[in-house]
Amino acid sequence: MIYQRNFIKELSFAAVGIFVVLLAVLVSTQAINLLGRAADGRVAIDAVLALVGFWVIGMTPLLLVLTAFISTLTVLTRYWRDSEMAVWLSSGLALKQWIKPVMQFAVPFAVLIAVMQLWVMPWAELRSREYAEILKQKQELSLVEAGEFNALGKRNNRVYFVETFDTDSGVMKNLFLREQDEKGNDNVVFAKEGNFALTDNKRTLELRNGYRYSGTPGQTDYNQVSFEKLSLIISTTPKIIDPVSHRRTIPTAQLIGSDNPQHRAELMWRVSLPVSVLLLSMLAVPLSYFNPRTGHTYNILIAIGLFLIYQNGLTFLRNAVEDGKIHFLIGLLPMHLLMFAVAVVLLRVRSMPAQPFWQAVVKSLSLKGGK
């Protein structure tokens, strides 16, 4: 029908604008946050742009849910404000007839969200964690300041000094290193040159052509050893992200049938978002009701409240599933069934705009509501 084509066209234009605005706001906020963390040294500077990209992929499903909900709510609210919906109802047509075009608009969103949640998101989460860790390791190995004493690794009992440092080759000249063990003994190393290396999951300091002195301070028992090459292990490199230990990186196929409560909670969340975009789009039909005579926009506040209840309810149930307090299906179904029931009741209520709200609610619950 003509009204369906025009309605979906208007929804599409509204969705593009809303998605771009939401994305711009969230990306700018996240970019500022990551730049602040990079300034503190918690994130590698080179990783900021890539991490923003991975973060955008991670936020896209929720953004699509919001886009579909807000677009439907905005367009239908305009129909009520311009009295087009009043003409629709006065012609004997039911409000529920808007469900079909709304679903035609929402189903592609649900399919896209399902694909992202079930397949794209685990891959993106894993790549994001790996990339951030690798760049952080490289940045830590390259933080060398010539002419200054610096701690070596995370241990405070290792201090090194570099006279000159070639940033292009990564070679340090005339190194001094002092290490104190748990017994209070000193190990002092002098080397003509050296460099940091990252091999075999270990961070090492490769020293060449030098001497090593070991002994107890205040005593004459120091030993001197010359060397051509000496490798000192700084620390063991943190493991690149293990998919089994991070539920968001686990492929969906491995979550299905798992007895692990965390895996069940993650599967529940991945399934919930595609369902929620359909129910929220359906819920937007009655929530868009607007009385042009009063000019009040209570429907927007109610829509925001229901959305927050829906999302927070899903989060609460997911946490309960994760803690093993409830079964997977008990966590998955209640909020979806509740929102579906609210949508059905409100559809009956808003099909009778001439009736007082609570009277219409009573009639709809008694299955005597009008069209």
Side-chain angles (χ1 to χ4, degrees), residues 100 104 130 135 160 225 262 334:
K100 181 179 179 181
Q104 290 177 347
E130 287 182 347
L135 285 186
Y160 73 98
V225 178
Q262 292 187 353

Side-chain angles (χ1 to χ4, degrees), residues 28-74:
S28 60
T29 303
Q30 181 67 5
I32 293 172
N33 179 36
L34 286 174
L35 287 173
R37 294 170 63 184
D40 295 337
R42 291 179 291 170
V43 175
I45 296 176
D46 296 339
V48 171
L49 185 60
L51 290 179
V52 169
F54 284 121
W55 182 85
V56 168
I57 296 176
M59 286 298 297
T60 298
L62 185 58
L63 285 180
L64 291 174
V65 173
L66 281 170
T67 298
F69 182 48
I70 296 174
S71 300
T72 307
L73 189 65
T74 301

Side-chain angles (χ1 to χ4, degrees), residues 6-7 10-19 21-22 65-85 98 102 105 280-290 297 299-301 303-304:
N6 290 336
F7 175 62
E10 189 170 351
L11 279 177
S12 301
F13 281 116
V16 171
I18 291 170
F19 182 81
V21 171
L22 290 175
V65 173
L66 281 170
T67 298
F69 182 48
I70 296 174
S71 300
T72 307
L73 189 65
T74 301
V75 173
L76 288 178
T77 299
R78 187 192 67 77
Y79 283 10
W80 281 102
R81 183 183 295 112
D82 295 345
S83 301
E84 294 182 27
M85 200 65 74
W98 286 97
V102 167
F105 171 74
L280 284 171
S281 298
M282 178 181 175
L283 193 59
V285 176
L287 287 177
S288 63
Y289 173 79
F290 177 84
T297 57
N299 64 316
I300 302 298
L301 297 178
I304 294 174

Side-chain angles (χ1 to χ4, degrees), residues 6 35 45 55 121 124 128 168 177 208 254 261 300 315 351:
N6 290 336
L35 287 173
I45 296 176
W55 182 85
M121 288 299 303
S128 174
D168 294 329
L177 172 68
R208 293 177 289 278
Q254 296 181 20
I300 302 298
T315 302
S351 295

